Amino acid sequence: MDPVYLDHNATTPLRRDVLEAMLPYLAIGAGNPSSLHAWGRRGRQAVEQARAAVARLLGCLPSEIVFTAGGTEADNLAIKGLAGLAGQRRRIVTTAIEHPAVLGPCRALARRGYQIVHVPVDGDGVVDPDDVARAVDGDTLLISVMHANNETGVIQPVAAVGAVAWEHGIPLHVDAVQSVGKIPVQVDDLGVDLLALSAHKIGGPQGVGALYVRQGMAFESLLHGGGQEQNCRAGTENVAGIVGLGRAAELVLAEWGQAQSEWRRLRDRLEVDVRRAVAGVDVNGGAAARLPNTSSLSFAGVDSAALVASLDRSGIAAASGSACAAEDPAPSHVLLAMGLGPERATSAVRFSLGPGNHAAQIDHLVAQLPAWVAHLRRRGH
Ligand SMILES: Cc1ncc(COP(=O)(O)O)c(C=O)c1O
């Protein structure tokens, strides 16, 4: 059996079509998009074509897209950039299950005197929009709620939170890094003002992302220098990377529906078959609406890092917690926030599917798992 990659929420392999679209800009280079000669114009044209593709994917105007060096930068730009211009307001309402790309900038702002409110989630990992409404006050400068959780795949009621934000006249930022490409993400349907995405979660290159900024929203740039990206993000554009993001966005749109239903079919098969083959397995967030490709399974009495290492020996890539926190032995803050307890949180393994996965790979996983789980349970973890 060839290696089985079930860690697409950490990163997706670069798609061949995307690589081919990028190659000319890597091989012979693009001009600097700010240059006025033919080389520069080619670079500019490539960047603007990619901007239009990302805008089509999100249902917004090309002028509302700011390219960044990834999802983390897009989240930081939204949160710190807005706080920089928010005047006297000092409160940010977010959730207990955000990715470190959101928790980190919030923590940095807390050190500067901002008040960060983390709205709880229920046992399935879902935020209640009424809790968000109760948490906002006249001092609130931003609401930030992720669209889908990276560990569990649980989808948040963002449109309802958008209605709360609208009612109170507070901007809404959404980390859509995991939802883009897996479920529909249309900025107007969600009622968002700022939305972050990342190329490497949709078959594009690592180190490229984008922030949607609703027309008319003002915020402070994190990087100061040239006037690129409408003065929102200084620095010469990563032309090849941006071309890759644009091509990945085009592919998502062109293939919409087919891929997502295949992932769902495989994911459901994975959950049914694993639970049939191994006793003591719980699906985290299983009763909530989830991304079609994600499954977080807790294996009672098993340490998740040890199981991930064991599966790796069988050529299967999965994740314990999120990739960003994989070296952190602390139990997942997401699962703890769901009230699942340390035992269940430290025994959770995430399987996330993507292009190229097929039924025989799921069968291989199901065949390998029982022996590894039994071995680790005998060893006491
Ligand atoms: C929900 C979420 N937000 C943000 C990020 C960060 O994106 P990037 O890796 O492009 O910085 C990730 C990556 O794992 C993510 O899952």
Side-chain angles (χ1 to χ4, degrees):
M1 187 78 187
D2 289 336
V4 177
Y5 188 74
L6 300 175
D7 199 13
H8 289 82
N9 285 12
T11 198
T12 54
L14 189 71
R15 297 189 61 175
R16 174 144 286 280
D17 264 32
V18 172
L19 175 64
E20 278 166 12
M22 292 171 67
L23 273 178
Y25 298 93
L26 290 166
I28 52 167
N32 186 324
S34 299
S35 299
L36 297 178
H37 45 61
W39 288 265
R41 284 199 301 277
R42 276 198 292 275
R44 168 62 51 212
Q45 199 184 4
V47 167
E48 296 315 317
Q49 202 177 320
R51 200 186 306 282
V54 173
R56 269 197 305 281
L57 182 63
L58 301 181
C60 68
L61 298 171
S63 58
E64 294 176 309
I65 297 297
V66 175
F67 289 119
T68 65
T72 300
E73 187 190 316
D75 283 330
N76 272 262
L77 182 55
I79 295 167
K80 293 197 280 197
L82 198 74
L85 284 189
Q88 299 303 307
R89 295 188 176 208
R90 277 283 184 274
R91 187 179 169 98
I92 294 176
V93 173
T94 184
T95 79
I97 55 159
E98 297 298 314
H99 188 272
V102 166
L103 295 176
C106 286
R107 215 173 286 129
L109 288 173
R111 285 194 292 272
R112 286 163 42 191
Y114 288 80
Q115 187 194 9
I116 313 296
V117 179
H118 296 278
V119 174
V121 292
D122 67 14
D124 277 304
V126 185
V127 167
D128 182 344
D130 289 340
D131 286 340
V132 175
R134 277 189 285 274
V136 300
D137 63 9
D139 197 32
T140 306
L141 67 96
L142 178 70
I143 299 172
S144 179
V145 174
M146 72 192 327
H147 195 188
N149 184 264
N150 45 298
E151 293 184 31
T152 59
V154 169
I155 299 168
Q156 302 303 321
V158 168
V161 174
V164 170
W166 174 258
E167 200 181 308
H168 291 79
I170 298 167
L172 172 62
H173 162 249
V174 167
D175 177 338
V177 167
Q178 289 296 344
S179 56
V180 166
K182 295 169 191 153
I183 53 173
V185 179
Q186 293 289 298
V187 292
D188 284 340
D189 293 350
L190 297 175
V192 304
D193 301 290
L194 299 151
L195 180 140
L197 62 87
S198 177
H200 76 106
K201 309 291 186 179
I202 58 168
Q206 294 167 341
V208 191
L211 181 66
Y212 157 77
V213 182
R214 186 174 290 283
Q215 204 167 28
M217 286 273 308
F219 63 90
E220 194 175 69
S221 176
L222 299 185
L223 299 179
H224 299 104
Q228 289 92 347
E229 295 300 291
Q230 304 155 70
N231 289 315
C232 291
R233 205 272 178 185
T236 302
E237 297 87 343
N238 169 6
V239 177
I242 289 170
V243 165
L245 169 55
R247 184 68 190 127
E250 283 173 2
L251 291 174
V252 166
L253 271 183
E255 296 167 2
W256 191 262
Q258 220 176 310
Q260 290 76 8
S261 28
E262 177 61 5
W263 300 336
R264 185 181 299 281
R265 195 180 67 79
L266 290 176
R267 193 274 311 269
D268 291 350
R269 174 184 180 134
L270 183 158
E271 289 183 353
V272 169
D273 289 357
V274 166
R275 298 181 83 193
R276 203 174 277 149
V278 183
V281 177
D282 289 299
V283 182
N284 299 313
R290 285 183 294 157
L291 295 176
N293 78 317
T294 308
S295 182
S296 168
L297 300 180
S298 284
F299 296 82
V302 173
D303 174 67
S304 58
L307 183 53
V308 166
S310 304
L311 290 172
D312 189 38
R313 268 173 236 135
S314 297
I316 299 167
S320 55
S322 72
C324 307
E327 282 162 18
D328 180 357
S332 147
H333 71 284
V334 174
L335 302 180
L336 291 182
M338 290 161 66
L340 294 180
E343 210 278 318
R344 184 136 159 211
T346 51
S347 62
V349 174
R350 177 187 71 190
F351 302 97
S352 52
L353 282 59
N357 285 142
H358 51 80
Q361 296 177 325
I362 305 304
D363 295 345
H364 180 60
L365 168 72
V366 174
Q368 297 293 311
L369 259 176
W372 283 123
V373 170
H375 169 72
L376 295 173
R377 280 180 177 157
R378 267 198 312 274
R379 255 180 37 184
H381 60 260

